[in-house]
Amino acid sequence: MYQPGPVVIMTQPQSFPMTGLPAAGANFPASLQILAQTDFVQMKRDLSLIKCCIGWETNARYDILDKDDHRLFYAVEKSDCCSRFQFWGRRGFDIRIFDNANVEVMRIRRHVKACQGVCCACSDCCAHEVMILAPVDEVAAHVQQQHACCKPSYSIMDAFERETLRVDGPCCVFYGIWACCKQKFKVKSRTVNAPGEGKITKVWSGILKEMCCCSDAKNFEIDCE
């Protein structure tokens, strides 16, 4: 069973002050309202001793934290061992996101893709796409990989597949010991008169973790400017 961290936030605010979030009374998990009160979120992956020792891919686990390292949510991947062994990063999965009361509030679903990569995204059958369900039986958003010559690019769409945000990455994305600096993905609004921009940053975890954990130590920061 997943063990919670030392500091957790058990109470949730009851308003939606941030533009773009569902209005009060919408069919939306109440505990997710805490995201409307913060402009900075961290995602830290738990290290797998099995992956580090024998290289066997396991279900990923993440802690979702605020800027003070207080845990807001935790995420657990659900995929079968055959997919993880055969398809690795191309595998399909469900990532289940729980609040600190162990209630599932969101689910991220991706289907397996036989091909992948920036250039392969020109074909819909090869472009990665994830579906966001919140609550877990209702589609809230989609994220789809876009065709680009060298920079990774993703469209964030609402439940009706209307693009609201675009995420553009750097020319080269490195992993493991080669990723010795922060790699920033810019988030831009596609909505007229929308406030601000943001960025998603892949954070360098340190040479020891990156080397020993086979690039499994993936940490991210999400900053809404």
Side-chain angles (χ1 to χ4, degrees), residues 20 37 43 56 91 120 130 134 139 141 157 170 191 205 214 219:
Q37 304 293 325
M43 293 182 60
W56 187 269
R91 67 183 180 268
C120 293
V130 298
V139 176
M157 299 173 286
T191 305
S205 301
C214 307
N219 297 330

mmCIF file with all atom_site columns, all heavy atoms in Angstrom, residues 20 37 43 56 91 120 130 134 139 141 157 170 191 205 214 219:
data_model
loop_
_atom_site.group_PDB
_atom_site.id
_atom_site.type_symbol
_atom_site.label_atom_id
_atom_site.label_alt_id
_atom_site.label_comp_id
_atom_site.label_asym_id
_atom_site.label_entity_id
_atom_site.label_seq_id
_atom_site.pdbx_PDB_ins_code
_atom_site.Cartn_x
_atom_site.Cartn_y
_atom_site.Cartn_z
_atom_site.occupancy
_atom_site.B_iso_or_equiv
_atom_site.pdbx_formal_charge
_atom_site.auth_seq_id
_atom_site.auth_comp_id
_atom_site.auth_asym_id
_atom_site.auth_atom_id
_atom_site.pdbx_PDB_model_num
ATOM 1   N N   . GLY A 1 20  ? -10.729 29.667 -16.420 1.00 0.00 ? 20  GLY A N   1
ATOM 2   C CA  . GLY A 1 20  ? -10.613 28.426 -17.160 1.00 0.00 ? 20  GLY A CA  1
ATOM 3   C C   . GLY A 1 20  ? -11.013 27.198 -16.379 1.00 0.00 ? 20  GLY A C   1
ATOM 4   O O   . GLY A 1 20  ? -11.243 26.140 -16.948 1.00 0.00 ? 20  GLY A O   1
ATOM 5   N N   . GLN A 1 37  ? -5.801  27.474 -6.235  1.00 0.00 ? 37  GLN A N   1
ATOM 6   C CA  . GLN A 1 37  ? -5.196  28.349 -5.241  1.00 0.00 ? 37  GLN A CA  1
ATOM 7   C C   . GLN A 1 37  ? -3.670  28.363 -5.322  1.00 0.00 ? 37  GLN A C   1
ATOM 8   O O   . GLN A 1 37  ? -3.020  29.009 -4.502  1.00 0.00 ? 37  GLN A O   1
ATOM 9   C CB  . GLN A 1 37  ? -5.615  27.895 -3.826  1.00 0.00 ? 37  GLN A CB  1
ATOM 10  C CG  . GLN A 1 37  ? -7.120  27.835 -3.605  1.00 0.00 ? 37  GLN A CG  1
ATOM 11  C CD  . GLN A 1 37  ? -7.755  29.214 -3.638  1.00 0.00 ? 37  GLN A CD  1
ATOM 12  O OE1 . GLN A 1 37  ? -7.158  30.180 -3.193  1.00 0.00 ? 37  GLN A OE1 1
ATOM 13  N NE2 . GLN A 1 37  ? -8.954  29.304 -4.176  1.00 0.00 ? 37  GLN A NE2 1
ATOM 14  N N   . MET A 1 43  ? 6.043   17.642 -9.419  1.00 0.00 ? 43  MET A N   1
ATOM 15  C CA  . MET A 1 43  ? 5.754   16.211 -9.542  1.00 0.00 ? 43  MET A CA  1
ATOM 16  C C   . MET A 1 43  ? 7.065   15.459 -9.381  1.00 0.00 ? 43  MET A C   1
ATOM 17  O O   . MET A 1 43  ? 8.004   15.670 -10.143 1.00 0.00 ? 43  MET A O   1
ATOM 18  C CB  . MET A 1 43  ? 5.127   15.888 -10.899 1.00 0.00 ? 43  MET A CB  1
ATOM 19  C CG  . MET A 1 43  ? 3.747   16.466 -11.095 1.00 0.00 ? 43  MET A CG  1
ATOM 20  S SD  . MET A 1 43  ? 3.035   15.993 -12.694 1.00 0.00 ? 43  MET A SD  1
ATOM 21  C CE  . MET A 1 43  ? 3.026   14.198 -12.537 1.00 0.00 ? 43  MET A CE  1
ATOM 22  N N   . TRP A 1 56  ? 14.065  -3.851 -14.485 1.00 0.00 ? 56  TRP A N   1
ATOM 23  C CA  . TRP A 1 56  ? 12.702  -4.245 -14.840 1.00 0.00 ? 56  TRP A CA  1
ATOM 24  C C   . TRP A 1 56  ? 11.759  -3.075 -14.608 1.00 0.00 ? 56  TRP A C   1
ATOM 25  O O   . TRP A 1 56  ? 11.678  -2.539 -13.509 1.00 0.00 ? 56  TRP A O   1
ATOM 26  C CB  . TRP A 1 56  ? 12.266  -5.450 -14.018 1.00 0.00 ? 56  TRP A CB  1
ATOM 27  C CG  . TRP A 1 56  ? 10.945  -6.011 -14.441 1.00 0.00 ? 56  TRP A CG  1
ATOM 28  C CD1 . TRP A 1 56  ? 9.720   -5.668 -13.964 1.00 0.00 ? 56  TRP A CD1 1
ATOM 29  C CD2 . TRP A 1 56  ? 10.701  -6.991 -15.453 1.00 0.00 ? 56  TRP A CD2 1
ATOM 30  N NE1 . TRP A 1 56  ? 8.728   -6.373 -14.598 1.00 0.00 ? 56  TRP A NE1 1
ATOM 31  C CE2 . TRP A 1 56  ? 9.303   -7.206 -15.525 1.00 0.00 ? 56  TRP A CE2 1
ATOM 32  C CE3 . TRP A 1 56  ? 11.541  -7.734 -16.305 1.00 0.00 ? 56  TRP A CE3 1
ATOM 33  C CZ2 . TRP A 1 56  ? 8.733   -8.103 -16.404 1.00 0.00 ? 56  TRP A CZ2 1
ATOM 34  C CZ3 . TRP A 1 56  ? 10.952  -8.630 -17.178 1.00 0.00 ? 56  TRP A CZ3 1
ATOM 35  C CH2 . TRP A 1 56  ? 9.570   -8.803 -17.227 1.00 0.00 ? 56  TRP A CH2 1
ATOM 36  N N   . ARG A 1 91  ? 4.076   2.488  -24.120 1.00 0.00 ? 91  ARG A N   1
ATOM 37  C CA  . ARG A 1 91  ? 3.002   1.662  -23.579 1.00 0.00 ? 91  ARG A CA  1
ATOM 38  C C   . ARG A 1 91  ? 1.751   2.478  -23.256 1.00 0.00 ? 91  ARG A C   1
ATOM 39  O O   . ARG A 1 91  ? 1.807   3.685  -23.015 1.00 0.00 ? 91  ARG A O   1
ATOM 40  C CB  . ARG A 1 91  ? 3.470   0.955  -22.311 1.00 0.00 ? 91  ARG A CB  1
ATOM 41  C CG  . ARG A 1 91  ? 3.747   1.878  -21.116 1.00 0.00 ? 91  ARG A CG  1
ATOM 42  C CD  . ARG A 1 91  ? 4.269   1.074  -19.941 1.00 0.00 ? 91  ARG A CD  1
ATOM 43  N NE  . ARG A 1 91  ? 4.557   1.855  -18.750 1.00 0.00 ? 91  ARG A NE  1
ATOM 44  C CZ  . ARG A 1 91  ? 5.738   2.377  -18.480 1.00 0.00 ? 91  ARG A CZ  1
ATOM 45  N NH1 . ARG A 1 91  ? 6.746   2.216  -19.318 1.00 0.00 ? 91  ARG A NH1 1
ATOM 46  N NH2 . ARG A 1 91  ? 5.931   3.057  -17.356 1.00 0.00 ? 91  ARG A NH2 1
ATOM 47  N N   . CYS A 1 120 ? 7.079   11.269 -36.184 1.00 0.00 ? 120 CYS A N   1
ATOM 48  C CA  . CYS A 1 120 ? 5.961   10.331 -36.369 1.00 0.00 ? 120 CYS A CA  1
ATOM 49  C C   . CYS A 1 120 ? 4.616   10.969 -36.062 1.00 0.00 ? 120 CYS A C   1
ATOM 50  O O   . CYS A 1 120 ? 3.577   10.428 -36.425 1.00 0.00 ? 120 CYS A O   1
ATOM 51  C CB  . CYS A 1 120 ? 6.147   9.100  -35.495 1.00 0.00 ? 120 CYS A CB  1
ATOM 52  S SG  . CYS A 1 120 ? 7.553   8.068  -35.995 1.00 0.00 ? 120 CYS A SG  1
ATOM 53  N N   . VAL A 1 130 ? -3.321  11.634 -24.758 1.00 0.00 ? 130 VAL A N   1
ATOM 54  C CA  . VAL A 1 130 ? -3.836  11.194 -23.469 1.00 0.00 ? 130 VAL A CA  1
ATOM 55  C C   . VAL A 1 130 ? -5.197  11.842 -23.240 1.00 0.00 ? 130 VAL A C   1
ATOM 56  O O   . VAL A 1 130 ? -5.498  12.922 -23.766 1.00 0.00 ? 130 VAL A O   1
ATOM 57  C CB  . VAL A 1 130 ? -2.882  11.537 -22.295 1.00 0.00 ? 130 VAL A CB  1
ATOM 58  C CG1 . VAL A 1 130 ? -1.553  10.844 -22.457 1.00 0.00 ? 130 VAL A CG1 1
ATOM 59  C CG2 . VAL A 1 130 ? -2.695  13.039 -22.159 1.00 0.00 ? 130 VAL A CG2 1
ATOM 60  N N   . ALA A 1 134 ? -12.046 13.565 -15.245 1.00 0.00 ? 134 ALA A N   1
ATOM 61  C CA  . ALA A 1 134 ? -12.279 14.132 -13.915 1.00 0.00 ? 134 ALA A CA  1
ATOM 62  C C   . ALA A 1 134 ? -13.716 14.630 -13.842 1.00 0.00 ? 134 ALA A C   1
ATOM 63  O O   . ALA A 1 134 ? -14.044 15.626 -14.503 1.00 0.00 ? 134 ALA A O   1
ATOM 64  C CB  . ALA A 1 134 ? -11.305 15.280 -13.632 1.00 0.00 ? 134 ALA A CB  1
ATOM 65  N N   . VAL A 1 139 ? -14.962 12.634 -19.374 1.00 0.00 ? 139 VAL A N   1
ATOM 66  C CA  . VAL A 1 139 ? -13.821 13.249 -20.067 1.00 0.00 ? 139 VAL A CA  1
ATOM 67  C C   . VAL A 1 139 ? -13.804 14.750 -19.775 1.00 0.00 ? 139 VAL A C   1
ATOM 68  O O   . VAL A 1 139 ? -14.805 15.447 -19.962 1.00 0.00 ? 139 VAL A O   1
ATOM 69  C CB  . VAL A 1 139 ? -13.891 13.000 -21.577 1.00 0.00 ? 139 VAL A CB  1
ATOM 70  C CG1 . VAL A 1 139 ? -12.756 13.731 -22.293 1.00 0.00 ? 139 VAL A CG1 1
ATOM 71  C CG2 . VAL A 1 139 ? -13.836 11.506 -21.872 1.00 0.00 ? 139 VAL A CG2 1
ATOM 72  N N   . ALA A 1 141 ? -10.614 16.647 -20.581 1.00 0.00 ? 141 ALA A N   1
ATOM 73  C CA  . ALA A 1 141 ? -9.652  17.281 -21.484 1.00 0.00 ? 141 ALA A CA  1
ATOM 74  C C   . ALA A 1 141 ? -8.892  16.218 -22.276 1.00 0.00 ? 141 ALA A C   1
ATOM 75  O O   . ALA A 1 141 ? -8.943  15.025 -21.948 1.00 0.00 ? 141 ALA A O   1
ATOM 76  C CB  . ALA A 1 141 ? -8.680  18.154 -20.695 1.00 0.00 ? 141 ALA A CB  1
ATOM 77  N N   . MET A 1 157 ? -6.488  20.327 -25.090 1.00 0.00 ? 157 MET A N   1
ATOM 78  C CA  . MET A 1 157 ? -7.835  20.619 -25.572 1.00 0.00 ? 157 MET A CA  1
ATOM 79  C C   . MET A 1 157 ? -8.864  20.338 -24.481 1.00 0.00 ? 157 MET A C   1
ATOM 80  O O   . MET A 1 157 ? -8.627  19.524 -23.587 1.00 0.00 ? 157 MET A O   1
ATOM 81  C CB  . MET A 1 157 ? -8.123  19.768 -26.808 1.00 0.00 ? 157 MET A CB  1
ATOM 82  C CG  . MET A 1 157 ? -7.174  20.043 -27.962 1.00 0.00 ? 157 MET A CG  1
ATOM 83  S SD  . MET A 1 157 ? -7.398  18.898 -29.359 1.00 0.00 ? 157 MET A SD  1
ATOM 84  C CE  . MET A 1 157 ? -6.649  17.417 -28.678 1.00 0.00 ? 157 MET A CE  1
ATOM 85  N N   . PRO A 1 170 ? 11.912  22.216 -25.953 1.00 0.00 ? 170 PRO A N   1
ATOM 86  C CA  . PRO A 1 170 ? 13.190  22.615 -26.540 1.00 0.00 ? 170 PRO A CA  1
ATOM 87  C C   . PRO A 1 170 ? 13.523  21.765 -27.764 1.00 0.00 ? 170 PRO A C   1
ATOM 88  O O   . PRO A 1 170 ? 12.878  20.743 -28.029 1.00 0.00 ? 170 PRO A O   1
ATOM 89  C CB  . PRO A 1 170 ? 14.184  22.367 -25.397 1.00 0.00 ? 170 PRO A CB  1
ATOM 90  C CG  . PRO A 1 170 ? 13.554  21.271 -24.601 1.00 0.00 ? 170 PRO A CG  1
ATOM 91  C CD  . PRO A 1 170 ? 12.073  21.506 -24.682 1.00 0.00 ? 170 PRO A CD  1
ATOM 92  N N   . THR A 1 191 ? -6.369  31.014 -26.250 1.00 0.00 ? 191 THR A N   1
ATOM 93  C CA  . THR A 1 191 ? -7.633  31.704 -26.044 1.00 0.00 ? 191 THR A CA  1
ATOM 94  C C   . THR A 1 191 ? -7.407  33.206 -26.025 1.00 0.00 ? 191 THR A C   1
ATOM 95  O O   . THR A 1 191 ? -6.462  33.691 -25.396 1.00 0.00 ? 191 THR A O   1
ATOM 96  C CB  . THR A 1 191 ? -8.290  31.267 -24.720 1.00 0.00 ? 191 THR A CB  1
ATOM 97  O OG1 . THR A 1 191 ? -8.418  29.848 -24.712 1.00 0.00 ? 191 THR A OG1 1
ATOM 98  C CG2 . THR A 1 191 ? -9.657  31.906 -24.561 1.00 0.00 ? 191 THR A CG2 1
ATOM 99  N N   . SER A 1 205 ? 17.843  15.550 -11.655 1.00 0.00 ? 205 SER A N   1
ATOM 100 C CA  . SER A 1 205 ? 17.702  14.897 -10.351 1.00 0.00 ? 205 SER A CA  1
ATOM 101 C C   . SER A 1 205 ? 19.028  14.630 -9.651  1.00 0.00 ? 205 SER A C   1
ATOM 102 O O   . SER A 1 205 ? 19.033  14.106 -8.540  1.00 0.00 ? 205 SER A O   1
ATOM 103 C CB  . SER A 1 205 ? 16.958  13.564 -10.527 1.00 0.00 ? 205 SER A CB  1
ATOM 104 O OG  . SER A 1 205 ? 15.695  13.776 -11.089 1.00 0.00 ? 205 SER A OG  1
ATOM 105 N N   . CYS A 1 214 ? 18.717  4.676  -14.087 1.00 0.00 ? 214 CYS A N   1
ATOM 106 C CA  . CYS A 1 214 ? 18.422  4.513  -15.523 1.00 0.00 ? 214 CYS A CA  1
ATOM 107 C C   . CYS A 1 214 ? 17.422  5.561  -16.002 1.00 0.00 ? 214 CYS A C   1
ATOM 108 O O   . CYS A 1 214 ? 16.445  5.248  -16.699 1.00 0.00 ? 214 CYS A O   1
ATOM 109 C CB  . CYS A 1 214 ? 17.909  3.127  -15.816 1.00 0.00 ? 214 CYS A CB  1
ATOM 110 S SG  . CYS A 1 214 ? 18.970  1.804  -15.221 1.00 0.00 ? 214 CYS A SG  1
ATOM 111 N N   . ASN A 1 219 ? 11.536  14.237 -12.415 1.00 0.00 ? 219 ASN A N   1
ATOM 112 C CA  . ASN A 1 219 ? 10.875  15.251 -11.607 1.00 0.00 ? 219 ASN A CA  1
ATOM 113 C C   . ASN A 1 219 ? 10.492  16.415 -12.506 1.00 0.00 ? 219 ASN A C   1
ATOM 114 O O   . ASN A 1 219 ? 11.250  16.813 -13.395 1.00 0.00 ? 219 ASN A O   1
ATOM 115 C CB  . ASN A 1 219 ? 11.796  15.737 -10.481 1.00 0.00 ? 219 ASN A CB  1
ATOM 116 C CG  . ASN A 1 219 ? 12.151  14.630 -9.515  1.00 0.00 ? 219 ASN A CG  1
ATOM 117 O OD1 . ASN A 1 219 ? 11.374  13.695 -9.300  1.00 0.00 ? 219 ASN A OD1 1
ATOM 118 N ND2 . ASN A 1 219 ? 13.317  14.707 -8.907  1.00 0.00 ? 219 ASN A ND2 1
#
